[in-house]
Each structure stands twice: as C-alpha cells, then as structure tokens.
Amino acid sequence: MTQLHFGPTCEASRTTDSADHSDVFGTSDPELTLDHEFATRISKDVCVDCGSLTTMLTRFVLGDGIAHAAYFASLHPCAEPATGWPEMWIDAIFSESWDEGSADRTTFGCRIGYVEGEGYPVCTLVDAATEHPDTADFGHKLSAAEADKHPALPEFRRLVGFALLADDVLRVHMALPTGHPGLAQRT
C-alpha cells in the first residue's frame, strides 16, 4: 500500500525546516492555487473518540487558473499519545469537465497521522469518501487498492502535498512550520 511521508527529517521539521528537499514532491506548486472565488465551507462537530471539536472543511483548487479538484478535510484533534501527532482525513475529487452529473469524477481518500514505527505523520491511502453520500458529486469512490493502482495517483499525491502547504488550516493542524518541504514519497 502506498504511504507518503512528510519529509526525511520530520522530527526536526516540527520546529525547523529541513535543508534536504531532494525526495519531496509536495513543495510549492505554481500551477495550483486555492480557489478563493467559492466560499470555503468550514464546520465543527464533536469527536466521538475524545469529545473535542473536529473541524471539517471544503476547499476548491485551480490548476493553471481552471477548476482542478475539490477536497474535503476532516481534522481530528485527538493526538496519538506516544507522538502527540493529530489525525486528518482528506477526500479529493477530480474531474475533467466538472459538468453537473458528469460521469467523469473520481474520488481518492487518505488518512494522515500516526503509524506504528514511524516518528512522524504518514499519509496512507484509504477507501474514499466513506463518510459522504454516494452521489454523482463524488463519482467513482476509489477503494484504497484501486487508488494504489490508479493512473491519477501522482496527481492526488501532488494535490495532498499542495494542500498541506497552501492551506493554513491543514498546515497548522499538523503543526507543520511555514516553509516545511511537504510530503515525501517513501521508497
């Protein structure tokens, strides 16, 4: 199963920036921008595990100035006791046309958080949008196994890396410092 990591020196990256960015793919991306034309939806709900408020948000991303993706993030404040890292779930929808009712939509999902044996958060593919209704808006919700083999997986990786750097709400939730190198692919 594909796992994406936050960088080669993530323990140090919680407070300082890493100098070696050679294996990072989530660096700033001049082609992608958050779409500020559409109002971002942010809501809060009570976490069933710890009773804290969970933040859920929806963002739209432009690629070269046109609609590229939409993502839904669920930010859970529950920290892993051994590491203190919080958890986040991201579902991202891609479409060629973005036409209403179009059959060309595909949704990927991932979980970002503690994985036993790792000293920093790991991004792991999961079944997409399991908490969202089965509607045309989400198109084909990929299972983790389907996503791992899907030709658009590199674009999903790119989007998650971009979101973790460009979206202040996500970056702050994961305690990534400004200028953090982003996600690195585990080899």
Side-chain angles (χ1 to χ4, degrees), residues 49-67:
D49 293 326
C50 73
S52 298
L53 286 181
T54 297
T55 302
M56 291 154 294
L57 60 89
T58 303
R59 300 269 202 236
F60 300 94
V61 177
L62 301 175
D64 288 330
I66 60 172

Side-chain angles (χ1 to χ4, degrees), residues 34 39-45 54-60 70-75 88-91 132 163 167-171 173:
L34 290 175
T40 298
R41 292 188 298 254
I42 299 179
S43 61
K44 303 272 185 182
D45 200 359
T54 297
T55 302
M56 291 154 294
L57 60 89
T58 303
R59 300 269 202 236
F60 300 94
Y71 65 87
F72 302 84
S74 181
L75 291 63
M88 179 185 321
W89 298 72
I90 297 176
D91 293 305
H132 298 280
D167 190 325
D168 289 339
V169 176
L170 303 187
R171 188 176 48 73
H173 178 74

